[in-house]
């Protein structure tokens, strides 16, 4: 029986027992390299701009790969695991055209992971395979968003939800 969780911090505490979401950094880099074999070089990757994954900056594929390596190095130095996952994809064009392309990809099973809880929402290899068989759609892709999961980022989320973040401003103390 599932227990009702009232606070985000309780949710994170329960999730702490579970394994991290995503894949190791070297696997994510391989997926970026694979998808870039079939997509134009104008594609941008939203990658964590901080080591906790709380903000995103969009970069070229080469710069995104370097940022992922930098984050992985940060966690390796601290002897902590970090995993990466693709959670969103953005298409060019208006909403209707984007929705049509997404629907087309879903219809041929060319977009989502079977196990989204473990690996994230978007399966970049399925996207690559889709574009290989539908090269006319290659120019319709705008960006991929990649995030991270680590115990440090989960702890930070717990602090934020409980209001004990170390980012207290002077206004709060008056």
């Amino acid at each position: 029986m599932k227990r009702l969780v009232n606070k985000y911090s309780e949710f994170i505490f329960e999730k702490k027992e579970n394994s991290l979401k995503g894949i190791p950094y070297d696997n994510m880099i391989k997926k970026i390299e694979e998808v870039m074999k079939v997509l134009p070089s104008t594609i941008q990757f939203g990658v964590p701009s901080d080591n906790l994954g709380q903000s995103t900056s969009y970069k070229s594929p080469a710069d995104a790969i370097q940022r992922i390596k930098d984050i992985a190095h940060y966690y390796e130095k601290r002897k902590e695991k970090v995993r990466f996952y693709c959670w969103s994809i953005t298409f060019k064009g208006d909403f209707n055209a984007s929705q049509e392309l997404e629907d087309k990809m879903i219809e041929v099973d060319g977009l989502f992971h079977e196990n989204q809880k473990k690996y994230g929402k978007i399966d970049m290899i399925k996207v690559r395979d889709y574009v290989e068989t539908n090269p006319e759609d290659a120019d319709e892709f705008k960006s991929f968003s990649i995030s991270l999961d680590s115990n440090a980022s989960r702890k930070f989320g717990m602090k934020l939800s409980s209001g004990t973040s170390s980012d207290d401003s002077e206004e709060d103390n008056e």
Side-chain angles (χ1 to χ4, degrees), residues 4-172:
L4 180 63
V5 177
N6 295 318
K7 291 183 179 179
Y8 181 71
S9 59
E10 290 177 35
F11 170 75
I12 295 295
F13 181 75
E14 283 188 356
K15 287 291 196 184
K16 196 172 169 181
E17 298 298 318
N18 295 339
S19 63
L20 298 176
K21 180 180 191 174
I23 58 177
Y25 83 96
D26 50 341
N27 290 354
M28 180 54 73
I29 290 171
K30 287 176 189 172
K31 288 180 183 280
I32 292 171
E33 292 169 344
E34 283 298 312
V35 79
M36 289 312 299
K37 289 179 181 178
V38 296
L39 293 176
S41 61
T42 57
I43 297 292
Q44 295 284 297
F45 287 86
V47 291
S49 53
D50 65 283
N51 292 328
L52 295 173
Q54 300 300 309
S55 59
T56 301
S57 58
Y58 285 83
K59 300 180 178 294
S60 68
D63 290 341
I65 287 171
Q66 184 57 53
R67 181 65 190 134
I68 290 169
K69 287 178 180 178
D70 292 345
I71 292 169
H73 178 73
Y74 170 86
Y75 281 96
E76 283 173 1
K77 282 176 54 176
R78 285 152 184 77
K79 297 184 184 344
E80 188 176 338
K81 284 185 180 179
V82 63
R83 296 289 184 260
F84 296 88
Y85 59 95
C86 185
W87 60 273
S88 178
I89 190 169
T90 306
F91 304 106
K92 294 178 182 173
D94 66 18
F95 176 78
N96 290 335
S98 297
Q99 194 61 51
E100 267 184 48
L101 179 55
E102 185 175 330
D103 291 345
K104 185 177 168 185
M105 291 178 75
I106 291 169
E107 187 177 309
V108 296
D109 192 28
L111 189 58
F112 299 122
H113 270 291
E114 285 82 22
N115 189 344
Q116 293 182 23
K117 287 184 178 183
K118 184 174 181 181
Y119 296 114
K121 184 176 179 182
I122 305 297
D123 186 335
M124 294 172 72
I125 299 303
K126 283 186 177 184
V127 171
R128 181 209 57 197
D129 294 346
Y130 172 83
V131 174
E132 283 179 340
T133 57
N134 299 279
E136 69 277 6
D137 292 333
D139 290 332
E140 299 303 318
F141 292 84
K142 184 176 181 180
S143 66
F144 292 85
S145 296
I146 296 171
S147 193
L148 66 81
D149 191 12
S150 69
N151 286 328
S153 64
R154 290 179 180 190
K155 287 175 190 173
F156 183 76
M158 284 179 23
K159 284 182 183 179
L160 281 180
S161 69
S162 66
T164 59
S165 172
S166 60
D167 294 341
D168 294 334
S169 68
E170 287 182 44
E171 293 177 5
D172 293 340

